[in-house]
Amino acid sequence: MEPFGPRRQVEIYSRSPGSPEPLPIGFQEWEARARAILADGPFDYVAGGAGREDTMRANREAFERRRIHPRMLRDVAERDLTIELFGVHVPAPIILAPVGVQSIIHPQAERAPARAAASSGIPFTLSTVSSVTIEQIAAEMGTALRWFQLYPGRDRAVMNSLVSRAEAAGYRCLILTVDTTMLGWRERDLRKSYLPFMHGEGMANYLSDPVFRSQLSSPPEVDPRSAVLHFLDIYVNPSFTWDDVDFLRTQTRMPIVLKGILHPDDAREALTHGIDGIVVSNHGGRQVDGGVATLDVLPAVCAAVGDRVPVLMDSGIRSGADVVKALALGARAVLIGRPYLYALAAAGEDGVRAVIRNLLAELDLQLALSGCSSLAGIGPDLLWQSQAHSLDVR
Amino acid sequence: MEPFGPRRQVEIYSRSPGSPEPLPIGFQEWEARARAILADGPFDYVAGGAGREDTMRANREAFERRRIHPRMLRDVAERDLTIELFGVHVPAPIILAPVGVQSIIHPQAERAPARAAASSGIPFTLSTVSSVTIEQIAAEMGTALRWFQLYPGRDRAVMNSLVSRAEAAGYRCLILTVDTTMLGWRERDLRKSYLPFMHGEGMANYLSDPVFRSQLSSPPEVDPRSAVLHFLDIYVNPSFTWDDVDFLRTQTRMPIVLKGILHPDDAREALTHGIDGIVVSNHGGRQVDGGVATLDVLPAVCAAVGDRVPVLMDSGIRSGADVVKALALGARAVLIGRPYLYALAAAGEDGVRAVIRNLLAELDLQLALSGCSSLAGIGPDLLWQSQAHSLDVR
Amino acid sequence: MEPFGPRRQVEIYSRSPGSPEPLPIGFQEWEARARAILADGPFDYVAGGAGREDTMRANREAFERRRIHPRMLRDVAERDLTIELFGVHVPAPIILAPVGVQSIIHPQAERAPARAAASSGIPFTLSTVSSVTIEQIAAEMGTALRWFQLYPGRDRAVMNSLVSRAEAAGYRCLILTVDTTMLGWRERDLRKSYLPFMHGEGMANYLSDPVFRSQLSSPPEVDPRSAVLHFLDIYVNPSFTWDDVDFLRTQTRMPIVLKGILHPDDAREALTHGIDGIVVSNHGGRQVDGGVATLDVLPAVCAAVGDRVPVLMDSGIRSGADVVKALALGARAVLIGRPYLYALAAAGEDGVRAVIRNLLAELDLQLALSGCSSLAGIGPDLLWQSQAHSLDVR
Amino acid sequence: MEPFGPRRQVEIYSRSPGSPEPLPIGFQEWEARARAILADGPFDYVAGGAGREDTMRANREAFERRRIHPRMLRDVAERDLTIELFGVHVPAPIILAPVGVQSIIHPQAERAPARAAASSGIPFTLSTVSSVTIEQIAAEMGTALRWFQLYPGRDRAVMNSLVSRAEAAGYRCLILTVDTTMLGWRERDLRKSYLPFMHGEGMANYLSDPVFRSQLSSPPEVDPRSAVLHFLDIYVNPSFTWDDVDFLRTQTRMPIVLKGILHPDDAREALTHGIDGIVVSNHGGRQVDGGVATLDVLPAVCAAVGDRVPVLMDSGIRSGADVVKALALGARAVLIGRPYLYALAAAGEDGVRAVIRNLLAELDLQLALSGCSSLAGIGPDLLWQSQAHSLDVR
């Protein structure tokens, strides 16, 4: 395959300069475009974080502190961005993160990102609280790679039903989000009393679920309010512990990946529970305020896990440089959230496709310009090691 | 008791989004609201600090440097925020700090915060220089927990009288503010020649005090100016030393807590004088300019004190994350000042109630999301320990 | 003497709040006032620094990094700010720094600051390139303490004449500015082709000097241009070395202080040349761009000098907190420049008096609130010593 | 030679202050002037960097972290800025960096900078992708010192032809840019689909090259599009490795300097390939995003190279202070890019001359004011060595 980094550049530079409304390139421009299009409620729901949004800032600062130390005069004509994840070949170490209730930002909610991911071959992760059902997204994606994200719920029967449906619909990985046993304190949303779930958004998988429906006294079409209340009661569970993980482990053949692990001791514990992977994540800074940046804890988690299972990471990835830094510190792959959501809001499926292609192109170029022809070349040596950095000074 | 973190969220999210003038959520919004309502003099009196306000900035930066390192998959369905302070059960490690002359910002000066504190059970601390008397606040609060703050004054008889009145009126703790033996250099106030005391504000406890009145040649109702001058002469005392602390110790059965200790050697000294507690405080940055941040010295003070008496802290607490960080570094509880004052200015008692409830809710959620079901789980391990942090690098 | 810190506060707070145009309090407000009054040329000449003004910024950042660690419950009713400098009693460790050509900012150039200094007893330092002569300032000041600053010139006869005149006119100290063997690259002035000396400003001491006049072919009143050119030729000297210092040492009984020393090795060398004192200074950031902050090198210079001669410092002092930090790191006293110049520009002698009195008041309060009753109490222990600070991490 | 630092100052200060439109002095003013004159496409092409422009920021921050520690009272009346580079005497350690397609910013593209460099004697480096041919620039420059920059191309015959032409036209050094085996991801240009090469700009050396022309099926005058496509196909080469360097080494007697080396191991490798010099460069932050600052890696590269060949550096030099810092950390000389390009855009040859003369003047003054009479005096001791700096803490 011809490397797509320069190919994408040529494609963009070949547009006539005055062509109407070209799509944005960088994250900040996409964000501004989404900001202009969306109402305050949906925009802030996506853009905001917990509390004073200090964790969000920490995520970015952690990336900005690390510096790539490139090597020259190596043959980089052919670059290989592919990885193998949970036994499946993936064309690049990038995954669309699970994000719920996309209906608040675009009518093609979840469908558009799923199709965009499918077209490039990178995994799309469907959220438990999506606007579109597990089966509908499966239909959109055909044989393309898809993962399913599960919230740690209160009702094992409903959880099992959702997991079984995902497995039956061809999802290849189960992402269990362990950092959301209750909802974070999000000032932007609280200020506006804006929570999509309160109005029945993001319940597609529940409303379509036979077990969930069986627990309602009237069908949701008749008594939607009761359905919402039951959903709010069970969709997350503050008593969810390692025992529930063990139970879940018995319920599916899909690999189970814990998303939200930040401490090496939790990562070690995960290994003893037969977990297949870890996502170092702080939910994009949306749960704990004042929390540690994911990039800062990534090396310790990777050291604890070793080569036993893949460690992925998210929260703050905005550019190819960020991906390189995350991989250099031990991540096998990264998940992106807000970058594709802003593009979805601003330009639908075309937007998401553009974001994916641009990120892949930028990553490909970063690799080449750093002297790497494959991801195997990205290790700690690719980051500048001043003594200060080895101390992790911010 | 059902955990109030999520309950409060549900309460807020259940409001109809377009309801008129919802109260602010975060500190900065409250501050902006107060800024819009108050005249320059009162606003700056509350908001300002000493000199170039560098200590105020340092207070905040110290919080921003520390990062919470959460744990996952622990049962956090029931959280216990209660502590025991000076033999009394307190529902959460949060106290309303003593702040004087509240009449400049709201007609319900001190009464509104006292009632708001009483309604949630957290202690309210009445300032020596309050706008409302010791006895009036006691009447407002009934049996609710209240503390009394004392300035180190020049006249032992007046001090004793104030202390006796507080003890008689059911105040359960005496907070002696040791960092105010004279007034700091506050540029905002000096610029406007604004000092409420010059105009007789904040003298309620003195004007109602028989000892103070007996020292005047005419009653203050007849010669208010002389009363003000006598007050200004005695209300603080630059010669106040450990001997005076010893004297005070003999005058009351209330626990005595020194507020304004910043150095571990002063904390050690306090222990030898039979002090019952310490508040690590720099008076919200209002006394020494260029001073050390309270969070930065907290660990050293706690190390010096050990488990012998509780160490509290204030100056810069704005959010639940800040409370967690202070507790993780050794504080038993924290005091808040400006957060409740801005709310008082902007929305009176409802505002103070909202601030307290929101802070409790946020703290409760932070605990749960960090994997703690009680304050006992908040220790130094809950902060991220890079080598750099152990060096306290800013 | 009643302590003047609180006394000054009372004086200010006693003004009626609505009184017309009170003088500014803090540095930034004075700077804004000067900015509004002065034309660009003079303002930028005072405000600007070398190159990108990076040394100026470094000076301030060095202060902002250090934190005062106050002590409590010490008797601070009486504070003693006095020091002895070169055998003379000085009421506070503050000196008006030498600044030339003040005629560009106020008609009472040098006279007003000299009188203001005299009224408070702190030393005024007259610049070689002042707008008013040595003798005229002496007449203004009577017996008040005054120092004379000398540029390292090319012509020993003219230098000797200036030094003799100063000694005869009762100046008690000679400040030799060693960092100005040529003029720094000051972008603001170069941009506007603004250099006061090119137009004959700042030549009062030369035009009144018999030796200088004797070197001209026509009197300056007849041929002012030639006088300017001769002045520009001799007023600084890039070949000025330690030998010239030795020569100067033989020419006067005044103590000689080297201003502009930044390196401990230069300080050690100075001691071997019988120098009486050192001013750690980078000329307010006006000479070397990208240079080290004076506060950062102060400890090393003080360590090299020990107790043999006093070390003073300047460049960046804006507040009482800054004075405390400088003294804590070893300075015996500090010089202020821009703070009094902005006040001169904005309010003449009244302005300079206000700046001096406010700075003394603030320093006095800082002392008291830090638990010190005299300058002897200000040592390195008064600054917070985190491990990071002992590493001088910025 | 009279020192030109003060001479240049006098020249500027002697202008009448109100003279029409004096040229800017500092970098930021030149940048603003260029910004006002140029269209977005050309301005952003020059001003922009890779990705989020994080490498650009890192370059500047690395300079801002280092501080010059000046020495006093040394005879600096005569300063010697000269160096010897590759056997040639150069008047100052400053070189105009290779920058292509200058036709987009000024009709005197490359000619004006070449003449300006020639007039001051500092080397001008012609880019491979210049708007004007090798031979035309040689004719402009006469005997003045010029270097030729070569991109690592795909076609050895064309490369050889370019190199031979440069050698024949009197270029004295070959700068091989090793960091550009493909084009960086430059968001500003991509956003506007702006790449000058796509429109035939910057092809002068190719269109005039007999070997290149012989590879086209029709002359470029007949089929310009095919010429552009062939150019785009061969001008850079991601397979270019050390073997190609060895080959190039056999093709010319010019010294060969590798530009873009950032890692000490690559520098060591270069020495084994008989390379004559190294430029530590990250292409002004235009290739790798999130990359290491050149000043940060300079000491390690210099340590690896020792005295065997000269190490030059670029990327971020804006002022005389920056030059001093780079030299103190081991660079023999520095290259400047954007500073002269903005001046070219704003004021053509006069602008470039002014930038060069001002930079030399500022450097000369920085030397003198730091106590150095020649570049030999600029070593690591001239930078402030706190312990923190020895740790490279940012």
Side-chain angles (χ1 to χ4, degrees):
Chain A
M1 184 176 85
E2 196 199 341
F4 47 96
R7 203 175 52 186
R8 176 70 176 147
Q9 279 185 313
V10 167
E11 185 181 305
I12 296 175
Y13 283 133
S14 299
R15 291 187 208 145
S16 59
S19 64
E21 285 196 277
L23 294 178
I25 298 290
F27 176 79
Q28 284 169 319
E29 204 186 350
W30 278 113
E31 185 177 35
R33 197 77 74 95
R35 170 67 290 204
I37 284 176
L38 294 175
D40 288 356
F43 177 78
D44 282 338
Y45 181 78
V46 174
R52 294 166 73 90
E53 306 193 337
D54 199 36
T55 308
M56 284 175 66
R57 279 187 292 275
N59 283 337
R60 285 304 310 154
E61 287 171 7
F63 282 103
E64 286 159 11
R65 258 181 283 132
R66 267 77 177 194
R67 321 283 342 148
I68 299 169
H69 200 171
R71 304 299 300 268
M72 299 298 145
L73 290 165
R74 295 168 167 190
D75 187 343
V76 292
E78 305 290 328
R79 277 89 61 200
D80 180 3
L81 302 190
T82 60
I83 51 167
E84 186 158 314
L85 266 182
F86 313 119
V88 178
H89 181 88
V90 178
I94 291 168
I95 296 131
L96 292 202
V99 180
V101 289
Q102 298 187 7
S103 54
I104 64 174
I105 59 168
H106 197 271
Q108 282 292 308
E110 290 107 15
R111 295 179 194 265
R115 287 192 302 255
S119 75
S120 63
I122 70 167
F124 172 78
T125 315
L126 186 71
S127 166
T128 314
V129 293
S130 54
S131 327
V132 177
T133 67
I134 292 166
E135 293 76 13
Q136 286 164 324
I137 290 299
E140 293 280 0
M141 295 190 74
T143 60
L145 187 56
R146 52 189 172 269
W147 296 356
F148 181 66
Q149 176 268 342
L150 184 73
Y151 276 116
R154 275 189 208 263
D155 190 290
R156 283 187 171 184
V158 172
M159 272 202 300
N160 280 355
S161 177
L162 292 169
V163 169
S164 302
R165 287 167 60 193
E167 191 164 353
Y171 291 75
R172 302 288 292 268
C173 182
L174 185 69
I175 305 287
L176 180 68
T177 302
V178 295
D179 63 10
T180 309
T181 51
M182 50 186 70
L183 204 63
W185 181 261
R186 299 176 191 167
E187 292 194 4
R188 298 199 208 197
D189 300 340
L190 291 163
R191 192 174 299 145
K192 291 185 288 281
S193 303
Y194 182 87
L195 185 68
F197 310 116
M198 301 294 286
H199 309 286
E201 303 273 352
M203 288 176 58
N205 289 327
Y206 295 83
L207 299 182
S208 61
D209 194 83
V211 178
F212 180 85
R213 294 181 70 98
S214 74
Q215 296 172 344
L216 302 173
S217 46
S218 335
E221 294 75 19
V222 174
D223 181 0
R225 184 70 191 153
S226 295
V228 167
L229 291 177
H230 185 52
F231 162 78
L232 288 173
D233 196 42
I234 66 165
Y235 89 108
V236 290
N237 177 7
S239 294
F240 199 99
T241 66
W242 293 105
D243 289 344
D244 299 281
V245 172
D246 292 339
F247 169 76
L248 204 62
R249 180 65 292 176
T250 65
Q251 302 299 307
T252 179
R253 282 162 310 170
M254 287 188 283
I256 297 182
V257 174
L258 301 191
K259 176 169 173 285
I261 296 291
L262 292 169
H263 202 288
D265 289 348
D266 284 345
R268 281 187 202 97
E269 183 74 18
L271 293 176
T272 71
H273 291 267
I275 280 303
D276 301 285
I278 279 168
V279 183
V280 173
S281 169
N282 55 30
H283 216 117
R286 297 163 73 82
Q287 291 292 97
V288 171
D289 186 27
V292 71
T294 52
L295 197 68
D296 282 333
V297 295
L298 180 62
V301 172
C302 290
V305 168
D307 292 329
R308 282 170 285 181
V309 301
V311 175
L312 286 64
M313 76 90 75
D314 70 14
S315 303
I317 296 282
R318 299 290 176 263
S319 69
D322 298 338
V323 181
V324 168
K325 290 173 185 177
L327 270 56
L329 291 174
R332 189 77 66 89
V334 301
L335 291 74
I336 58 168
R338 292 184 185 92
Y340 90 77
L341 290 166
Y342 291 143
L344 171 65
E349 183 177 341
D350 285 350
V352 182
R353 276 178 199 262
V355 160
I356 295 171
R357 295 179 67 199
N358 289 346
L359 186 57
L360 295 181
E362 195 188 357
L363 174 60
D364 177 68
L365 284 165
Q366 286 276 128
L367 231 69
L369 297 173
S370 303
C372 304
S373 51
S374 78
L375 303 182
I378 303 183
D381 288 349
L382 195 62
L383 295 192
W384 182 52
Q385 302 289 343
S386 73
Q387 268 194 273
H389 279 98
S390 66
L391 292 180
D392 268 330
V393 171
R394 58 179 288 212
Chain B
M1 187 175 82
E2 195 199 341
F4 46 98
R7 202 176 50 185
R8 176 71 178 147
Q9 278 184 313
V10 167
E11 184 182 306
I12 296 176
Y13 284 132
S14 300
R15 291 188 208 146
S16 61
S19 64
E21 286 195 276
L23 295 178
I25 297 292
F27 175 81
Q28 284 169 318
E29 205 186 348
W30 277 114
E31 185 178 35
R33 197 75 73 96
R35 171 66 289 205
I37 283 175
L38 294 175
D40 288 356
F43 176 78
D44 282 337
Y45 181 78
V46 174
R52 293 166 74 91
E53 306 192 338
D54 199 36
T55 307
M56 285 175 65
R57 279 186 292 275
N59 283 338
R60 285 303 312 154
E61 287 170 7
F63 283 102
E64 287 159 11
R65 257 179 284 132
R66 266 79 177 193
R67 321 282 343 146
I68 299 169
H69 200 171
R71 305 299 300 269
M72 300 297 146
L73 290 166
R74 294 169 167 190
D75 186 343
V76 292
E78 304 291 328
R79 278 90 59 202
D80 180 3
L81 301 189
T82 60
I83 50 168
E84 186 159 313
L85 266 181
F86 313 120
V88 178
H89 181 87
V90 179
I94 291 169
I95 296 131
L96 292 202
V99 180
V101 291
Q102 299 186 7
S103 55
I104 63 175
I105 59 168
H106 197 271
Q108 281 292 308
E110 288 105 19
R111 293 176 195 268
R115 287 191 302 256
S119 75
S120 63
I122 69 167
F124 171 76
T125 316
L126 185 70
S127 167
T128 314
V129 294
S130 55
S131 327
V132 177
T133 67
I134 292 167
E135 292 77 10
Q136 287 166 324
I137 291 298
E140 294 279 0
M141 296 189 75
T143 60
L145 188 55
R146 50 189 172 270
W147 296 356
F148 182 65
Q149 176 268 343
L150 184 72
Y151 276 116
R154 275 189 208 263
D155 190 289
R156 284 187 169 182
V158 172
M159 273 201 301
N160 281 355
S161 178
L162 294 169
V163 169
S164 302
R165 288 168 60 192
E167 192 163 352
Y171 291 76
R172 303 289 292 268
C173 181
L174 184 67
I175 304 287
L176 179 69
T177 302
V178 296
D179 63 10
T180 310
T181 51
M182 51 187 70
L183 205 64
W185 182 260
R186 299 176 191 167
E187 293 194 5
R188 297 199 209 196
D189 300 340
L190 291 164
R191 193 175 297 144
K192 291 185 287 283
S193 303
Y194 181 87
L195 186 69
F197 311 115
M198 301 295 287
H199 309 287
E201 304 272 354
M203 287 176 59
N205 288 327
Y206 294 83
L207 297 182
S208 60
D209 194 83
V211 179
F212 181 83
R213 293 180 70 97
S214 73
Q215 296 172 343
L216 302 174
S217 45
S218 332
E221 293 75 18
V222 175
D223 182 0
R225 183 72 190 152
S226 294
V228 167
L229 292 178
H230 184 52
F231 163 77
L232 289 172
D233 196 43
I234 65 165
Y235 89 109
V236 291
N237 177 9
S239 293
F240 199 99
T241 65
W242 293 103
D243 288 344
D244 299 282
V245 172
D246 291 339
F247 169 76
L248 205 62
R249 180 65 291 175
T250 65
Q251 302 300 308
T252 179
R253 281 162 309 170
M254 287 188 283
I256 298 183
V257 174
L258 301 191
K259 174 168 174 284
I261 296 291
L262 292 168
H263 201 289
D265 290 347
D266 283 345
R268 282 187 202 96
E269 184 73 18
L271 293 175
T272 71
H273 292 267
I275 281 304
D276 301 285
I278 280 169
V279 183
V280 174
S281 169
N282 55 30
H283 214 118
R286 297 163 73 81
Q287 290 292 95
V288 170
D289 185 29
V292 70
T294 53
L295 197 70
D296 282 332
V297 294
L298 180 62
V301 172
C302 290
V305 169
D307 291 330
R308 282 169 286 181
V309 301
V311 176
L312 286 65
M313 77 90 77
D314 69 15
S315 304
I317 296 282
R318 299 290 175 263
S319 68
D322 298 338
V323 181
V324 169
K325 290 173 185 178
L327 269 54
L329 290 175
R332 190 77 65 90
V334 302
L335 291 75
I336 58 167
R338 293 184 184 92
Y340 90 76
L341 290 166
Y342 290 144
L344 171 64
E349 183 177 338
D350 285 350
V352 183
R353 276 178 200 264
V355 159
I356 294 171
R357 295 179 67 197
N358 289 346
L359 185 57
L360 294 181
E362 194 188 358
L363 173 60
D364 177 68
L365 284 165
Q366 286 277 128
L367 230 69
L369 297 173
S370 303
C372 304
S373 52
S374 78
L375 303 181
I378 304 184
D381 288 351
L382 194 62
L383 296 192
W384 183 52
Q385 304 287 343
S386 73
Q387 267 195 274
H389 279 97
S390 66
L391 291 180
D392 267 330
V393 171
R394 56 181 287 210
Chain C
M1 187 175 84
E2 196 200 340
F4 46 97
R7 204 176 47 187
R8 175 70 178 146
Q9 278 185 314
V10 167
E11 184 182 306
I12 296 176
Y13 284 132
S14 300
R15 290 189 209 145
S16 61
S19 64
E21 284 194 278
L23 294 178
I25 298 291
F27 176 81
Q28 285 171 317
E29 202 187 349
W30 278 114
E31 185 178 36
R33 197 76 73 96
R35 171 66 289 203
I37 284 175
L38 295 174
D40 288 356
F43 177 79
D44 282 338
Y45 181 78
V46 173
R52 293 166 73 91
E53 304 192 340
D54 198 36
T55 307
M56 285 175 64
R57 279 187 291 275
N59 282 337
R60 285 304 312 155
E61 287 171 6
F63 282 102
E64 287 159 9
R65 257 180 283 132
R66 265 82 178 191
R67 320 281 345 145
I68 298 169
H69 200 173
R71 302 300 298 271
M72 299 299 146
L73 290 166
R74 294 168 167 190
D75 187 344
V76 293
E78 303 292 325
R79 280 90 60 204
D80 180 2
L81 301 189
T82 61
I83 51 167
E84 186 160 315
L85 267 182
F86 314 120
V88 179
H89 180 87
V90 178
I94 290 169
I95 296 132
L96 293 201
V99 180
V101 291
Q102 298 186 7
S103 55
I104 64 175
I105 58 168
H106 197 271
Q108 281 293 306
E110 288 105 16
R111 293 178 195 267
R115 287 192 302 255
S119 75
S120 64
I122 69 166
F124 172 76
T125 314
L126 186 70
S127 167
T128 313
V129 294
S130 55
S131 325
V132 177
T133 68
I134 291 166
E135 292 77 12
Q136 287 166 324
I137 290 299
E140 294 278 1
M141 294 190 75
T143 60
L145 189 55
R146 50 189 173 270
W147 295 357
F148 181 67
Q149 175 267 344
L150 185 71
Y151 277 117
R154 275 189 209 264
D155 190 291
R156 286 188 169 181
V158 171
M159 273 201 301
N160 281 354
S161 178
L162 293 169
V163 169
S164 302
R165 289 168 59 191
E167 191 163 353
Y171 291 76
R172 303 289 293 268
C173 182
L174 185 68
I175 304 288
L176 180 68
T177 302
V178 296
D179 64 9
T180 309
T181 51
M182 51 185 71
L183 205 64
W185 181 261
R186 299 175 192 167
E187 292 194 4
R188 297 200 208 194
D189 300 340
L190 290 163
R191 194 174 296 145
K192 292 185 287 282
S193 303
Y194 181 86
L195 187 67
F197 309 116
M198 301 295 286
H199 309 288
E201 304 273 355
M203 287 176 61
N205 288 326
Y206 294 85
L207 297 182
S208 61
D209 193 83
V211 178
F212 180 83
R213 293 180 70 96
S214 74
Q215 295 172 345
L216 302 173
S217 45
S218 333
E221 294 74 21
V222 175
D223 182 1
R225 182 73 190 149
S226 294
V228 167
L229 292 178
H230 184 51
F231 162 78
L232 289 172
D233 196 42
I234 65 165
Y235 91 108
V236 291
N237 176 10
S239 293
F240 199 98
T241 66
W242 293 103
D243 288 345
D244 299 281
V245 173
D246 291 339
F247 169 75
L248 204 62
R249 182 63 292 176
T250 65
Q251 303 298 308
T252 180
R253 282 162 308 172
M254 288 188 283
I256 297 182
V257 174
L258 301 190
K259 175 170 175 282
I261 297 292
L262 292 168
H263 202 288
D265 289 349
D266 284 346
R268 280 186 202 97
E269 183 75 17
L271 292 176
T272 71
H273 291 268
I275 280 303
D276 301 286
I278 280 169
V279 183
V280 173
S281 169
N282 55 30
H283 215 118
R286 297 163 74 81
Q287 290 292 96
V288 170
D289 186 29
V292 70
T294 54
L295 196 70
D296 282 333
V297 295
L298 180 63
V301 171
C302 290
V305 168
D307 291 329
R308 281 169 286 181
V309 301
V311 175
L312 288 64
M313 78 89 74
D314 70 15
S315 303
I317 296 282
R318 300 290 175 261
S319 69
D322 298 339
V323 181
V324 169
K325 291 172 185 178
L327 268 55
L329 291 175
R332 189 79 63 90
V334 303
L335 292 74
I336 56 167
R338 291 184 185 93
Y340 90 78
L341 290 165
Y342 291 144
L344 171 64
E349 185 178 337
D350 284 351
V352 181
R353 277 178 199 261
V355 159
I356 294 171
R357 295 179 68 198
N358 290 345
L359 186 56
L360 294 182
E362 194 188 358
L363 175 59
D364 177 68
L365 284 165
Q366 287 276 128
L367 230 68
L369 297 172
S370 303
C372 304
S373 52
S374 78
L375 303 182
I378 304 183
D381 287 351
L382 195 61
L383 296 192
W384 182 52
Q385 305 288 344
S386 73
Q387 266 195 273
H389 279 99
S390 67
L391 292 179
D392 268 331
V393 170
R394 58 179 288 212
Chain D
M1 186 175 84
E2 198 199 338
F4 47 97
R7 205 175 48 187
R8 176 69 176 149
Q9 279 185 313
V10 168
E11 185 181 305
I12 296 175
Y13 283 132
S14 300
R15 290 188 208 144
S16 59
S19 64
E21 286 194 277
L23 295 177
I25 297 291
F27 176 80
Q28 285 170 316
E29 204 187 349
W30 278 114
E31 186 177 34
R33 196 76 73 94
R35 170 67 290 203
I37 284 175
L38 295 175
D40 287 356
F43 176 79
D44 282 338
Y45 181 78
V46 173
R52 292 166 74 90
E53 305 192 339
D54 198 36
T55 307
M56 285 175 65
R57 279 187 291 275
N59 283 337
R60 285 304 310 155
E61 288 172 5
F63 281 102
E64 286 158 13
R65 259 181 282 132
R66 267 79 177 193
R67 321 281 344 146
I68 299 170
H69 200 172
R71 303 300 299 268
M72 299 298 146
L73 290 166
R74 295 168 166 189
D75 187 345
V76 293
E78 305 289 328
R79 279 89 62 204
D80 181 3
L81 301 189
T82 60
I83 51 167
E84 186 159 314
L85 267 182
F86 313 119
V88 178
H89 181 87
V90 179
I94 290 169
I95 296 132
L96 293 201
V99 181
V101 289
Q102 298 186 8
S103 54
I104 63 174
I105 60 167
H106 197 271
Q108 282 293 307
E110 289 106 13
R111 294 178 195 265
R115 287 192 303 254
S119 75
S120 64
I122 69 166
F124 171 78
T125 313
L126 185 71
S127 166
T128 314
V129 294
S130 56
S131 326
V132 177
T133 68
I134 292 166
E135 292 78 11
Q136 286 165 324
I137 289 300
E140 293 279 1
M141 294 189 76
T143 60
L145 187 56
R146 51 191 172 267
W147 296 357
F148 181 67
Q149 175 268 345
L150 184 71
Y151 276 116
R154 275 189 209 264
D155 189 291
R156 285 187 169 182
V158 171
M159 272 202 301
N160 280 353
S161 176
L162 292 169
V163 170
S164 302
R165 286 167 61 192
E167 191 163 354
Y171 291 75
R172 302 288 292 267
C173 182
L174 185 68
I175 304 288
L176 180 68
T177 301
V178 296
D179 62 12
T180 310
T181 51
M182 50 186 69
L183 205 63
W185 181 262
R186 299 176 191 166
E187 292 194 4
R188 297 200 208 195
D189 300 340
L190 291 162
R191 193 174 298 146
K192 291 185 287 282
S193 303
Y194 181 86
L195 186 68
F197 310 116
M198 301 294 286
H199 310 286
E201 304 273 352
M203 288 177 59
N205 288 326
Y206 294 84
L207 298 182
S208 61
D209 194 83
V211 178
F212 181 83
R213 294 180 70 98
S214 74
Q215 295 172 344
L216 304 172
S217 45
S218 335
E221 294 75 19
V222 175
D223 181 2
R225 184 71 190 150
S226 294
V228 167
L229 292 179
H230 185 51
F231 161 78
L232 288 173
D233 196 44
I234 66 166
Y235 91 107
V236 290
N237 176 9
S239 294
F240 198 98
T241 66
W242 293 104
D243 289 345
D244 299 281
V245 173
D246 291 339
F247 168 76
L248 204 63
R249 181 64 290 175
T250 65
Q251 302 299 306
T252 178
R253 282 162 309 172
M254 288 188 284
I256 297 182
V257 174
L258 301 191
K259 175 171 174 283
I261 296 292
L262 292 169
H263 202 288
D265 290 348
D266 284 346
R268 282 186 201 97
E269 183 75 17
L271 292 175
T272 71
H273 291 267
I275 280 304
D276 301 286
I278 280 169
V279 183
V280 172
S281 169
N282 55 30
H283 216 114
R286 298 163 72 82
Q287 291 291 97
V288 170
D289 187 27
V292 70
T294 54
L295 197 69
D296 282 333
V297 295
L298 180 63
V301 171
C302 290
V305 168
D307 291 329
R308 282 170 286 183
V309 301
V311 175
L312 287 64
M313 77 90 74
D314 69 15
S315 303
I317 296 281
R318 299 290 175 262
S319 70
D322 298 339
V323 181
V324 169
K325 290 172 185 177
L327 269 56
L329 290 175
R332 190 77 64 89
V334 302
L335 290 75
I336 56 167
R338 291 184 186 93
Y340 89 77
L341 290 166
Y342 291 143
L344 171 64
E349 184 177 338
D350 285 350
V352 182
R353 277 178 199 263
V355 160
I356 294 171
R357 295 180 66 199
N358 289 347
L359 186 57
L360 294 181
E362 194 188 359
L363 174 60
D364 177 67
L365 284 164
Q366 287 275 128
L367 230 68
L369 297 173
S370 303
C372 304
S373 52
S374 78
L375 303 182
I378 304 182
D381 288 349
L382 195 61
L383 296 191
W384 183 52
Q385 304 288 343
S386 73
Q387 267 194 273
H389 279 101
S390 67
L391 291 180
D392 268 331
V393 171
R394 56 179 292 208

